Amino acid sequence: MGEGLYGMNSAQRSGIGMTSQRTRERLAARLGDAGIANVHVLNVIRQLPRHRFVDEALASRAYEDTALPIGCGQTISQPFVVARMTEILLAAGFPERVLEIGTGSGYQAAVLAALSGRVYTIERIRELHDRSRGIFRELGFENIWQRFGDGFAGWPSAGPFDAIILTAAPNEVPAVLLDQLNEGGRLLAPVGDADSQALRLYIRENGEVRSQIVEAVHFVPMLEGIE
Ligand code: SAH
């Protein structure tokens, strides 16, 4: 194609230099340094084009370890948080069935889909639901099932699940979601209000659910109803 406008070639104009394999490698290395130990998770971060999950205007920032706006007042989570939550969910092995509440950009669902049998993901904002559907198709994901709706009810007909992840924070984890957890299953959720949230891990063992606090986090709130 040669040189185009302003002396830039087409790859430079589309920002490919900032969204290349090399920038992804750097992000994965940085997450490893920051304490992500699961090599499978790091490999997915290394391969998955996060810049496809954000607006083109932000593509050059997609491999910074930071949350970014995705429109509709929502954000794509920080890569470290995505990696950390995935690693915790996978600590008991690769899950067959995963439920995600809060599809958003679709990035977390895609990371999980690369490491599990099937991912079911629910989003309450129509625009985000539709946009992520297109990206999953373009990237060739065939094991992600999507629903437009309110995640407070979960997805009983697709459960029970080996892993459930909430990427928006409720004040308390709804009991119906814990009910959709398999024996040995893990549910990971940011719990709390805008001022104070903690990531909580719930594990169902011998029919009982016990929970522990993992670390402080900051997520958008989990809201009722649809938009
Ligand atoms: N996992 C996303 C994070 C997006 S932010 C990613 O990787 O990009 C959290 C998302 O949760 C937002 O898109 C928000 O609309 C959605 N959300 C909030 N409450 C919800 C609910 N009750 N049901 C489904 N989605 C919800």
Side-chain angles (χ1 to χ4, degrees), residues 129-184:
H129 165 82
D130 289 344
R131 205 191 301 155
S132 58
R133 182 180 292 283
I135 295 162
F136 295 148
R137 194 179 305 128
E138 281 167 32
L139 296 180
F141 281 97
E142 290 180 346
N143 61 339
I144 302 177
W145 274 256
Q146 289 182 265
R147 177 178 273 186
F148 167 59
D150 182 347
F152 272 101
W155 196 329
S157 61
F161 301 95
D162 307 309
I164 300 179
I165 182 172
L166 278 60
T167 65
N171 286 321
E172 265 178 65
V173 172
V176 282
L177 293 182
L178 293 169
D179 288 345
Q180 289 169 39
L181 207 52
N182 248 334
E183 172 63 24

Side-chain angles (χ1 to χ4, degrees), residues 74-77 100-108 122-125 128 149-152 167-168 220-223:
Q74 307 302 320
T75 53
I76 180 173
S77 309
E100 178 192 37
I101 311 297
T103 315
S105 69
Y107 183 71
Q108 172 75 73
I122 307 175
E123 173 56 55
R124 65 179 287 281
I125 299 178
L128 297 175
D150 182 347
F152 272 101
T167 65
V220 295
M222 185 163 167
L223 303 174

Side-chain angles (χ1 to χ4, degrees), residues 40-41 43-45 47-49 53 82 85-87 89-90 93-100 103 105-121 132 135-137 139-146 163 165 167:
H40 304 288
V41 174
N43 273 334
V44 174
I45 302 280
Q47 285 161 27
L48 195 62
F53 295 83
V82 171
M85 289 177 83
T86 308
E87 166 172 274
L89 282 181
L90 263 61
F94 295 107
E96 184 48 42
R97 272 167 191 271
V98 180
L99 173 67
E100 178 192 37
T103 315
S105 69
Y107 183 71
Q108 172 75 73
V111 169
L112 286 164
L115 298 163
S116 349
R118 293 167 170 229
V119 173
Y120 296 83
T121 181
S132 58
I135 295 162
F136 295 148
R137 194 179 305 128
L139 296 180
F141 281 97
E142 290 180 346
N143 61 339
I144 302 177
W145 274 256
Q146 289 182 265
I165 182 172
T167 65

